[in-house]
Amino acid sequence: MTERPQQLAMVGGPRAVPPGTAAPRWPVVTRDDEEAVARVLASGRLTATAEGEEEVPGLEREWAAYTGTAHCAAVGSGTAALQLALAALGVGPGDEVVVPSLSMNATALAVLQQGARPVFADIDPDTYTMDPEAVRAVVGPRTKALLPVHLHGLPADMDALRAVADGLGAALVEDAAQSHGASYRGRRTGGLGTVGCFSLHPSKNLPSCGEGGLLTTDDPELYERVLRLRQFGEDPRPRRTRSYVSHTPGWNHRIGPVEAAFARSQLARLDAYGHRRTPGILAFLDRLAALPGLRVPVVPEGSAHVWHILRFRLDPEALGLGREDAAALRRALHRALRAEGVPVSRYQEAPLPAHPAFAPYVPAGAEFPVARAVLTDSLCLQRRQLDPDSGPVLAAYADGFEKVWENLDLIRRMVRSASPAGRERQEVGAA
């Protein structure tokens, strides 16, 4: 006799993740982090320009060494890193920069802020990173740079993109905001292109206690331009008395010593945290991979993923539904999983070319079917897996997924009642 599945929480059953289960922490703040911040406060050196300030240059030295690059500039945010990289490369009006159709909006906003035109390329359906073939279809004589994103912590196909960039004489700017510690063919992100741009937002694998960013490069002239642009266009060379003379237009894109000190303290544990969290994440993904119609993240050979975000694609046809039911299936599973205590989210609602800010730059008739499909048929898990001790909670989340999958008949009924296509099939079947 087949045992009946346990009733879903959304219809009155018990939650798979017991109420009161401690939520994973991120960032994990330790005594070392607190002492690093207190050290800055006690010093009285509260800005990057304070005489004798060492936290910012210390972070820069340590991150350059970590990424295997010659130079690092610490800046106010990941967005500031992107803007400074493009400005230092001379990107401006009349230039085009190729960006992926799926990313956080800052990737394309940095291009607009330079007066340049973002040109969107579709993504790979498995890695969610910029598809080199799609890039080849949209580049042209005005292409000044390619701006691939190592989305969710997985490096883009940098060899193929490097070949495209080199053929055009274009720069290769890495948006590495989500990929601290990830590697591609033995080299860490941030050291794979002309320049690398990282975020230190508290949600990232390497967090600060506020906003912050890091820019890496092996080009000494580019580095000098970044330093000048970072601080009002002033001469970046150390001197006893600051001149306050702007030699070129610039910004105030500095990071503060408190944020730098916190990030340095976290950097000392970055790899250890990665090693601790990975087994629990892989065990979680192994259980989910056994569920029909659910596609877990893939890692191409030669790449190391750092699991900043976990994205799961849904295959409605494998679950006895139609391809047109993808959005309704996502909504039904979102509702059911969250009721079980699994904090999945949609994360992004529209590909970048569909944002009102970028729509004027999209050619008439241009389509980005892969990015649209991914956002229609996928759910994400954010931040919870970053706690290095999240393994037991992830196991409970896997219990929730398995419980929902045991009740797929109810999920199908929900989808068919919500989807116009599903309602039409029901009516035909009843006739």
Side-chain angles (χ1 to χ4, degrees), residues 61-154:
R61 288 191 302 269
E62 290 160 13
W63 191 246
Y66 184 86
T67 56
T69 54
H71 307 287
C72 173
V75 298
S77 68
T79 305
L82 290 169
Q83 185 178 7
L84 286 167
L86 295 175
L89 287 165
V91 172
D95 294 327
E96 295 180 346
V97 177
V98 181
V99 300
S101 54
L102 180 60
S103 180
M104 194 266 193
N105 49 24
T107 307
L109 284 172
V111 178
L112 288 187
Q113 288 162 351
Q114 287 306 112
R117 182 185 187 94
V119 175
F120 297 98
D122 214 346
I123 60 170
D124 181 272
D126 297 316
T127 66
Y128 316 130
T129 60
M130 199 155 70
D131 181 356
E133 290 303 317
V135 172
R136 291 187 181 95
V138 298
V139 295
R142 293 181 179 273
T143 303
K144 184 83 168 183
L146 308 186
L147 212 174
V149 179
H150 305 312
L151 198 68
H152 302 344
L154 178 67

Side-chain angles (χ1 to χ4, degrees), residues 335-400:
R335 177 184 171 192
L337 287 165
R338 289 190 71 89
E340 298 298 337
V342 183
V344 291
S345 64
R346 191 176 181 188
Y347 177 42
Q348 292 155 314
E349 297 183 0
L352 291 182
H355 291 206
F358 310 128
Y361 304 94
V362 180
E367 296 183 355
F368 306 89
V370 179
R372 287 189 176 278
V374 167
L375 291 182
T376 298
D377 67 19
S378 65
L379 290 168
C380 295
L381 189 66
Q382 298 172 258
R383 214 176 213 185
R384 275 79 174 180
Q385 76 280 1
L386 294 182
D387 186 328
D389 299 315
S390 62
V393 177
L394 292 178
Y397 293 167
D399 293 339

Side-chain angles (χ1 to χ4, degrees), residues 165-413:
D166 288 350
L168 295 165
L172 191 56
V173 180
E174 299 174 70
D175 184 337
Q178 300 180 353
S179 68
H180 310 78
S183 64
Y184 177 85
R185 304 195 187 284
R187 294 192 64 191
R188 286 194 170 118
T189 58
L192 302 170
T194 313
V195 59
C197 303
F198 295 87
S199 169
L200 295 176
H201 188 275
S203 67
K204 298 302 189 288
N205 290 44
L206 178 61
S208 74
C209 55
E211 297 287 349
L214 298 164
L215 186 151
T216 52
T217 185
D218 288 326
D219 185 330
E221 295 181 1
L222 180 66
Y223 172 64
E224 288 295 316
R225 290 196 293 274
V226 167
L227 294 184
R228 181 166 289 186
L229 291 166
R230 177 178 67 174
Q231 183 169 300
F232 306 108
E234 297 174 15
D235 190 334
R237 288 172 293 185
R239 52 184 296 160
R240 183 176 297 275
T241 303
R242 182 178 168 190
S243 70
Y244 290 93
V245 174
S246 295
H247 297 274
T248 185
W251 297 274
N252 179 8
H253 277 335
R254 297 170 303 198
I255 192 174
V258 168
E259 290 85 357
F262 186 93
R264 290 182 77 186
S265 181
Q266 288 278 327
L267 176 56
R269 306 192 299 277
L270 176 63
D271 285 344
Y273 279 177
H275 292 316
R276 278 169 57 187
R277 73 168 65 96
T278 297
I281 292 173
L282 295 180
F284 173 64
L285 295 179
D286 282 346
R287 288 178 63 181
L288 268 58
L291 302 176
L294 185 64
R295 293 167 56 187
V296 301
V298 301
V299 183
E301 185 177 356
S303 291
H305 204 310
V306 291
W307 313 114
H308 176 66
I309 291 175
L310 306 180
R311 184 180 290 276
F312 312 104
R313 293 197 70 181
L314 308 168
D315 183 352
E317 293 173 314
L319 300 179
L321 298 165
R323 192 65 231 167
E324 66 279 5
D325 294 321
L329 176 61
R330 185 200 72 243
R331 290 191 293 268
L333 289 172
H334 181 270
R335 177 184 171 192
L337 287 165
R338 289 190 71 89
E340 298 298 337
V342 183
V344 291
S345 64
R346 191 176 181 188
Y347 177 42
Q348 292 155 314
E349 297 183 0
L352 291 182
H355 291 206
F358 310 128
Y361 304 94
V362 180
E367 296 183 355
F368 306 89
V370 179
R372 287 189 176 278
V374 167
L375 291 182
T376 298
D377 67 19
S378 65
L379 290 168
C380 295
L381 189 66
Q382 298 172 258
R383 214 176 213 185
R384 275 79 174 180
Q385 76 280 1
L386 294 182
D387 186 328
D389 299 315
S390 62
V393 177
L394 292 178
Y397 293 167
D399 293 339
F401 271 90
E402 290 170 351
K403 180 182 173 186
V404 170
W405 254 251
E406 290 170 0
N407 287 271
L408 283 177
D409 284 344
L410 175 57
I411 300 298
R412 291 187 190 96
R413 291 198 299 272

